[in-house]
Structures are given as structure tokens and as C-alpha cells.
Amino acid sequence: MNTGGILIAGPAAGALKGALMIPGDKSMSHRSVMLASLADGVTEIRGFLAGEDNVATAQMFMAMGVKIDWLKDDKTALRVHGVGLHGLKPAHSALNAGNAGTCVRLMTGILAGQAFESSVTGDASLCKRPMRRVVDPVRRMGATVTGAEGGDLLPLTIFGGKLKAIHHISEVASAQVKSCVLLAGLYAEGVTRVNEPKPTRDHTERMLPLFGQPVDVALDGTILLDPIGELTAPEHAIDIPADPSSACFFAVAAALVEGSDITLKSIGINARRDGWRRVMNDMGAQLSLENKTTVGEEPVADLRVQFGGLHGMRVNADDVPDAIDEFPVLFAAAALADGQFVLTDAAELRVKESDRIAAMAAALCSTGAQIDEQPDGAVIDGVGCLRGNVDVDAHGDHRIAMAMAVAAQRADGEVRIHNAAAIATSFPNFVPLAQSIGMNVRWAEEGA
Ligand code: S3P
């Protein structure tokens, strides 16, 4: 990943207006190409997120012998010629996940089921992120995994094959861990069971049945996968809804900029992803859902957001996993809200693409915000306006860069956001879409 790139943002010249089509969901795009590659038959995927992270996942499968036809130049539609659960071939060189944690952690489960050796690596940020959370369970299932720090850090070498089912009681509320174990469970003898400390996004559980593999959830929340030994390409195309984690940046921007009124079309409203809307509602934001329907197995709706005075609140710990990717931009909202915002139970934010508590605290403090960083969250006292004409560092983290571009809309001058190119990992057209509703944001050359 290229971490360079300066984004120049803010202040907004006036109200934000318009209706936006947000690109496809990142989590579902990863899962769709994984399951399609492992299925018998041909799967068409529409609304695919053509960000660097998802393209890395597709390229991994191409490197292991899966034929993928891109049906559009912008890579938002593809046809995957699945090779079946046992049809992957060893890649000629290390598989590179780039910046994508979801890719590497879910692939660990899939590669654990292959009767050949694979090496997986990633960029500098991914190479610092903890992998033991997925390595330990696949080892217990029978795979051999080696890597730096006893297998906690990339690059990993995975030699799989015959796996046996386990009951995994996860210490972290992580959909990546749960999905890794379920995907390895496709190759295991027996029923794989997973428990998580708090429910997390359930896209793997919703998508596997589209490929013929049932997943059950017991009354106590245990997730069970009894492998049927194959995946089958669905008859109809897989449609990926718009990503709520991308929509959230514009929702916060509209809530912050006076007079704004925008609509985010057909975004995913899965309960395991809408913690950010619950937080914004509790902050007093003016949000309304219209045209509720479903896309595939996922609920979607149009979200209208109007400017409205935001106030502080204490985030309910149960909402944290459901908003885990949205806290950078929620911090921006809190920095400009009336009163105090308190987040606890969110230490996971420290092991994302960057340490998101530290990165947001540093960037927002440079613009005059009042943030008291805590080991597992932050206490933020809102101010009326942020200070412009400052430089901040996005640390090569897409969500830090976009969150600061949103915060800057309420600054008294431009904010220069360095190391922002990672926006391309999840939201390549963030800048033109932001400009289309009136946000003041543009790319500049480093050194400009
Ligand atoms: C994801 C799960 C979350 C999230 C990430 C996507 C997924 O990570 O932060 O952006 O698609 O499963 P964790 O499982 O580490 O919480």
C-alpha cells in the first residue's frame, strides 16, 4: 500500500446536499469472492467493492488457480469460476493481503483446510497486527502454522489438510476470528462450534447458506457449522449492498454542517453493523430510514441525514462491536458535539489498521479538540469549531484519513491530512463522492 498522499480538507463552504450511491460492502465483498472461489460452478457478484483490500482477496484466489472475469472496467462486477472446496492449487509465491486484515484472517481458515503449504504476508501495518487469535484455533484444528513471534505476526506459513472440528470460545468479539474458524470448519471432521463474548457481524453465517452450506445459531448464541462437504454456486448473482461503514462518513459530515440534508441510498442496516446509527441517534442526530428492503440476505434502506445539534453521551459497551469501524468518525462527531462523549470497552481499536485511539486523539488534538485518551477508549469534550491551517497524520489508515476529512468541514481553515492514500483500500471514490455533496476536500501532491 502507498501510505503517501495528502488530503486537503475543510472548511465546508455551505450546506451538504444530495443523494449518494455508496460502493459495496467491504466485509461482504471479501466473503463473496472467497465462497464463490470454493464453490462448484460459476458465481456472478454485483456491487463488489473494488478497493485494494478486496482486489487483494480476488488476486489470492487467482494465484491459486481460480479464474475470475472482471465484468466491468471499474471492477464492481465479476464472474468467479469456482474450483470446489478441494480445487485450489498452491500459489507460486507468497500470497499478499496488502493492508487487509479481513483477507488474511479469513484466508488463514481457508488455507488451514488445504493439503499444501502456503505463505501469507501483508504490508507494514498488517505485519504488526495480532494473528494468534486465528492461528491458535486453526492449530487446534490440526493445521501447522509458523510465523514471527510464535505465529502471532505475518508472514505466516500454513500447512493444512485434515482438520478436526473444535468448539472455539473466542476471547475477542471478532467476526474475523469467528469467520476464520467457520471457514476452516468447512474442511473439518465433525461440527464446528464458535462462541463469542459479544455478537459480531454475521455476514459469513448469512452468506454460507446461499452456497448451500447451513449454519445454525443455538439459543445460547453458539454458532454451529456441520460441513456438508461442498459449496454450490448460487443460481442467482450475489448482490452486495452499499457499505454502512463508508456511508457513515457522510452521515456524520451532514450532521455537523449547518443546513445539510443528504440521502445515502440503499445502505446495509444489518443490526450487527448499525451501532454507529444507534450512537448517532443517542447523540441527537436527525436520521431517518426510508424504503426498507432486502438485498440477498441483508436488510438495506435509504438513510436521510439532516443537520442537527449533536450532544455527548456514554457509549453502551454492547454497541461497541456493532460500531467498531466507525469510531474514528464518531470521535470527529463527538469533538464537535455539545457536552461529553465517553467510550470504554473498545481496546480493540488499538490493533486496527493503526492504533485508532491514539491516531484520532493526536489528529483531533492538533485541531484544538479536547480528548482524554484512555487505554480502552476516550473521553471527548466537544468544542464549537476546530482549528484549521494544521497538519495531521492519518498513519496510512483509511478510516483516520476520512474521519479527519469530515472533522475538517467544521474547522476554521484547511486541514492537511498526510499519509492518506490508504483511502483506496476501502473507498477509492471517497473524494469525488464527498465533493458531489459539497464537502470541501481534495487531493494534493506531497510537498505541495
Ligand atoms: C471485519 C471485522 C472487524 C472489522 C473489519 C471487518 C470482517 O474486525 O473491524 O473492518 O469483515 O469480519 P474484527 O473481527 O477484528 O473486529
Side-chain angles (χ1 to χ4, degrees), residues 10-12 252-253 255-258 307-310 332-333 335-338 367 383-388 404-413 415:
V252 171
L256 287 176
V257 176
E258 198 168 341
F307 167 71
L310 297 178
L336 288 155
D338 282 338
T367 62
V383 295
C385 177
L386 296 177
R387 196 170 52 229
M404 287 310 298
V406 169
Q409 302 308 306
R410 278 264 299 267
D412 62 11
V415 176

Side-chain angles (χ1 to χ4, degrees), residues 33-309:
V33 79
M34 289 176 180
L35 299 187
S37 295
L38 298 176
D40 292 309
V42 177
T43 304
E44 215 165 284
I45 303 169
R46 300 186 295 219
F48 187 75
L49 173 62
E52 289 172 2
D53 280 12
N54 297 110
V55 171
T57 297
Q59 279 169 346
M60 276 194 186
F61 284 100
M62 289 159 89
M64 289 188 286
V66 177
K67 183 170 177 283
I68 294 181
D69 307 320
W70 298 103
L71 302 178
K72 288 182 168 183
D73 288 345
D74 65 3
K75 291 201 160 101
T76 57
L78 56 158
R79 190 182 297 121
V80 181
H81 300 259
V83 292
L85 276 182
H86 300 282
L88 295 178
K89 296 192 176 64
H92 295 300
S93 52
L95 300 165
N96 195 331
N99 192 239
T102 305
C103 168
V104 81
R105 294 205 178 112
L106 273 58
M107 286 307 292
T108 299
I110 292 171
L111 296 173
Q114 309 306 316
F116 54 78
E117 187 177 292
S118 311
S119 295
V120 267
T121 190
D123 70 5
S125 146
L126 195 56
C127 285
K128 286 194 213 121
R129 297 181 64 189
M131 295 298 148
R132 183 97 33 83
R133 54 183 63 195
V134 288
V135 167
D136 281 349
V138 300
R139 279 179 175 159
R140 280 173 55 223
M141 295 174 92
T144 303
V145 185
T146 56
E149 303 285 331
D152 195 29
L153 296 180
L154 297 179
L156 297 178
T157 302
I158 303 171
F159 187 79
K162 281 196 175 148
L163 302 182
K164 58 178 188 310
I166 56 167
H167 184 172
H168 185 60
I169 300 176
S170 181
E171 280 172 17
V172 275
S174 163
Q176 294 176 352
V177 172
K178 168 177 63 178
S179 301
C180 166
V181 176
L182 293 175
L183 291 169
L186 294 172
Y187 294 91
E189 204 183 308
V191 180
T192 293
R193 292 178 172 78
V194 184
N195 284 97
E196 37 187 6
K198 290 196 175 106
T200 64
R201 67 191 67 191
D202 56 0
H203 307 306
T204 305
E205 298 93 299
R206 286 173 188 253
M207 203 178 279
L208 274 166
L210 297 178
F211 289 84
Q213 170 62 58
V215 181
D216 294 315
V217 184
L219 285 177
D220 68 352
T222 307
I223 301 142
L224 299 100
L225 183 142
D226 188 356
I228 61 167
E230 61 183 9
L231 297 178
T232 309
E235 248 172 59
H236 302 290
I238 300 276
D239 285 305
I240 310 284
D243 197 329
S245 301
S246 297
C248 178
F249 294 105
F250 302 128
V252 171
L256 287 176
V257 176
E258 198 168 341
S260 297
D261 186 351
I262 66 165
T263 301
L264 302 158
K265 304 289 282 179
S266 197
I267 63 162
I269 57 165
N270 181 322
R272 297 281 72 81
R273 298 289 296 283
D274 75 352
W276 66 274
R277 280 195 302 116
R278 298 200 286 277
V279 171
M280 282 188 75
N281 270 322
D282 289 352
M283 292 178 82
Q286 296 192 44
L287 310 177
S288 54
L289 288 180
E290 293 155 12
N291 303 321
K292 285 190 190 175
T293 179
T294 53
V295 170
E297 292 303 299
E298 297 281 346
V300 301
D302 298 340
L303 175 66
R304 182 171 178 201
V305 189
Q306 290 165 283
F307 167 71

